[in-house]
Amino acid sequence: MNPPAQAASILTGNEAAAAGVRLCRAQVVAAYPITPQSPVVESLCASVAAGELDAEFVAVESEHSAMTVCIAAATTGARVFTATSANGLAYMCEQLHWTPGARLPVVMCCVNRAMAAPWNVLNDQQDSMSQRDAGWIQLFARNNQEILDTVVQAYRIAETTRVPVMVCYDGYVLSHTVMPVCVPSQEAVDGFLPPRAPETLLDPDCPRNLNQVTLADPRPNEKGQLCHGYMELRYLLQEALEGARAVIALVDEEFGAAFGRRWGGLCWGHRLEDAEVVLVAAGSLASGACASADTLRSQGIAAGVLGVRSYRPFPGQELANALRGARVAAVFDKSLSYGHEGPICSDLKSALHSAGGGPAVHGYIAGLGGRDVNASELAQAAAHSLEWVRAGKGPKPTEWINCRIDA
Amino acid sequence: MNTRDCNHDSAMAAPSRGEAGLTGHWRTERPVLDAAQCLPAKRGKPGCFLCWVYCPEAVVARAVPPAIDLEYCKGCGICAAECPAHAIVMIPETSANETPGADPGATPETP
């Protein structure tokens, strides 16, 4: 069956995100403004005011409250949405841990922005990377079409796994940049995403305490049934995140069948065949790296790109498989685990170790706080890494691209 | 025994007594009420009940004399601090004193 024809619009990343949320018929939107996220919820607010989106828009006094409203609304069975960036995400931190623990299918856009101090409203990925361990699924989009499509996929993934999904995309680079975007029809999205199955937890006829104090050991409930202790519930969350790999891949497949676009599921490759050096990154940086690989190929260097679409769950085995045969992976992180190295770099090393080995992994820190990094600089770094391993130089320390300070 | 049989993936329970489990063993001191000092006990009719008002764990029964549920009393001592007649004293929990479930209102151990 041919996918239905779709009109192309010229949209910013934020407009694409809002269009996706409208098509998913979100029922409750709660948000607090923060740059560069604000246009997403401004657009949704306007849609609610114009009667185009049958939703409750809750203007809150903080991001902590935004996520709290999402938690409460999702507990009633509603499909909910919020969006934030940087310090707003950090301000939500407590509730970010609550949402997956309560197994609520909240979908949130994180428009990636540098963390203060000092203040900086421009792009890097430190905000969402710093929330890596909260228990959310984190998907990184590489362009505005993928933002819209990933929002639609995110609701399917969240409602299937009962794990919240953070759709991450780069501030300004995508959020405020226009691109052609095919906006699917409402009918097509309705066909792909049924209304959220009612699993209403708040029911006056069946009062329950939810997420009550649950101490170390399993204990019987009021009926004598032995219930999970804290550790069992956390095991189930981990099981759900591990199982989400298959769900993310399947949902992307089904989305492709319905709309004619697939985004690689967990990770995607560009010219990986026989690649000696592979550029690894997430989001728009990975998209830009494709131009770097093309340039390197034209210079006779076998280069490819491996894009991390799902950062949590981390597709360790899939990345290891994709890197089989490569001599070196040059990982470009727009964030840092201070005192160690870039988080994608770290996680990739750990995954390759678990997979029984793989290519050398070189870490590069790029684009912090909106610092420019272009395709030729990525290409240069990748070529440098390949020379390094060809010369048999052994482990290589993390390098900072375009940092104008003497080491 | 597998806790999966409860079929939950998040914590929930119908409201019930002590759903977080027995918390009385958290106590290092227990309240002991002397009915001879307690105002409602002396008068033989309901009154005062400040221990019942202030107990943050709702383990004091509004009875004559007030009864303290030692299965859940965490031993915070607020009842002893609030009692205008000083009828409640906190005594250290020792192995000799441990009688979980005992009703100190009915059988005061020390004056």
Side-chain angles (χ1 to χ4, degrees):
Chain A
M1 188 183 87
N2 288 328
Q6 294 164 8
S9 310
I10 303 298
L11 299 181
T12 64
N14 282 338
E15 288 165 349
V21 175
R22 271 189 293 273
L23 287 168
C24 292
R25 300 184 187 273
Q27 294 163 298
V28 175
V29 180
Y32 189 82
I34 187 168
T35 298
Q37 162 277 142
S38 301
V40 182
V41 287
E42 284 168 4
S43 172
L44 293 171
C45 186
S47 298
V48 172
E52 296 157 5
L53 178 63
D54 185 16
E56 190 77 27
F57 187 95
V58 187
V60 288
E61 85 293 356
S62 76
E63 288 84 356
H64 187 280
S65 298
M67 188 50 66
T68 307
V69 168
C70 287
I71 288 167
T75 305
T76 70
R79 182 171 285 163
V80 306
F81 178 78
T82 188
T84 191
S85 295
N87 289 58
L89 186 73
Y91 200 12
M92 272 181 193
C93 181
E94 180 203 3
Q95 301 299 64
L96 286 179
H97 285 262
W98 189 277
T99 317
R103 301 298 299 277
L104 297 170
V106 173
V107 170
M108 166 166 67
C109 283
C110 175
V111 187
N112 291 118
R113 159 184 155 174
M115 291 297 307
W119 281 121
N120 174 304
V121 298
L122 303 177
N123 167 242
D124 67 32
Q125 295 171 345
Q126 191 69 51
D127 50 2
S128 52
M129 288 291 173
S130 295
Q131 301 301 335
R132 175 185 78 173
D133 298 335
W136 285 63
I137 291 170
Q138 286 194 2
L139 304 176
F140 281 82
R142 78 202 84 155
N143 60 46
N144 295 357
Q145 183 71 63
E146 189 177 3
I147 294 171
L148 189 156
D149 294 352
T150 302
V151 165
V152 176
Q153 293 186 10
Y155 280 103
R156 272 279 296 271
I157 295 165
E159 290 168 16
T160 304
T161 60
R162 292 188 302 284
V163 175
V165 179
M166 200 183 293
V167 178
C168 306
Y169 57 93
D170 290 311
Y172 295 105
V173 181
L174 298 180
S175 72
H176 286 62
T177 304
V178 293
M179 296 179 192
V181 175
C182 287
V183 180
S185 70
Q186 185 65 62
E187 295 67 34
V189 174
D190 286 346
F192 179 77
L193 181 73
R196 183 178 161 195
E199 26 148 333
T200 307
L201 296 175
L202 284 186
D203 178 1
D205 295 329
C206 176
R208 274 171 290 186
N209 289 332
L210 302 175
N211 306 299
Q212 76 279 17
V213 174
T214 304
L215 298 178
D217 293 325
R219 59 187 170 72
N221 66 7
E222 76 288 351
K223 290 177 188 141
Q225 170 68 51
L226 192 70
C227 291
H228 304 302
Y230 183 87
M231 202 154 168
E232 288 75 24
L233 290 166
R234 288 285 153 172
Y235 181 92
L236 290 176
L237 178 58
Q238 166 70 353
E239 197 174 64
L241 267 288
E242 299 273 11
R245 287 194 187 90
V247 176
I248 293 165
L250 179 69
V251 166
D252 191 47
E253 267 307 305
E254 291 183 4
F255 187 91
F259 298 95
R261 292 184 298 273
R262 288 175 180 80
W263 296 101
L266 298 162
C267 56
W268 53 271
H270 173 77
R271 303 185 80 167
L272 283 174
E273 64 287 350
D274 306 323
E276 275 194 283
V277 54
V278 176
L279 297 86
V280 182
S284 64
L285 193 60
S287 194
C290 295
S292 318
D294 293 346
T295 306
L296 290 167
R297 289 266 178 187
S298 70
Q299 295 166 356
I301 297 173
V305 175
L306 187 52
V308 177
R309 181 164 185 256
S310 171
Y311 180 58
R312 284 293 180 274
F314 194 68
Q317 191 59 56
E318 291 78 3
L319 296 175
N321 292 346
L323 289 171
R324 193 159 291 148
R327 294 191 68 174
V328 60
V331 184
F332 300 94
D333 272 292
K334 275 187 171 179
S335 64
L336 187 54
S337 176
Y338 285 89
H340 192 34
E341 59 189 354
I344 301 174
C345 178
S346 236
D347 288 344
L348 180 61
K349 284 179 181 174
S350 140
L352 291 174
H353 187 79
S354 299
V361 178
H362 292 176
Y364 292 90
I365 303 299
L368 298 190
R371 178 63 54 89
D372 263 347
V373 54
N374 61 36
S376 67
E377 287 153 352
L378 297 180
Q380 230 169 22
H384 175 55
S385 275
L386 188 55
E387 281 162 27
W388 186 285
V389 293
R390 278 178 176 163
K393 282 163 102 174
K396 178 180 169 303
T398 298
E399 259 184 72
W400 290 50
I401 296 178
N402 281 337
C403 184
R404 291 171 209 160
I405 194 166
D406 293 331
Chain B
M1 203 178 318
N2 192 343
T3 57
R4 281 190 201 272
D5 296 340
C6 74
N7 289 319
H8 296 154
D9 57 13
S10 61
M12 64 181 73
S16 58
R17 186 169 169 270
E19 61 175 31
L22 297 177
T23 49
H25 67 276
W26 298 9
R27 198 170 56 234
T28 57
E29 289 187 320
R30 72 165 57 189
V32 176
L33 185 144
D34 179 4
Q37 308 282 329
C38 169
L39 299 177
K42 279 202 298 193
R43 290 175 193 147
K45 58 179 185 182
C48 181
F49 291 136
L50 288 177
C51 50
W52 169 80
V53 168
Y54 280 96
C55 175
E57 295 295 329
V59 298
V60 180
R62 211 159 156 262
V64 180
I68 301 173
D69 185 344
L70 288 180
E71 285 197 326
Y72 298 105
C73 167
K74 294 172 182 166
C76 69
I78 290 174
C79 56
E82 294 295 338
C83 177
H86 307 292
I88 301 174
V89 295
M90 302 300 292
I91 65 163
E93 286 290 359
T94 63
S95 51
N97 284 336
E98 263 176 37
T99 48
D103 180 350
T107 54
E109 291 173 44
T110 51

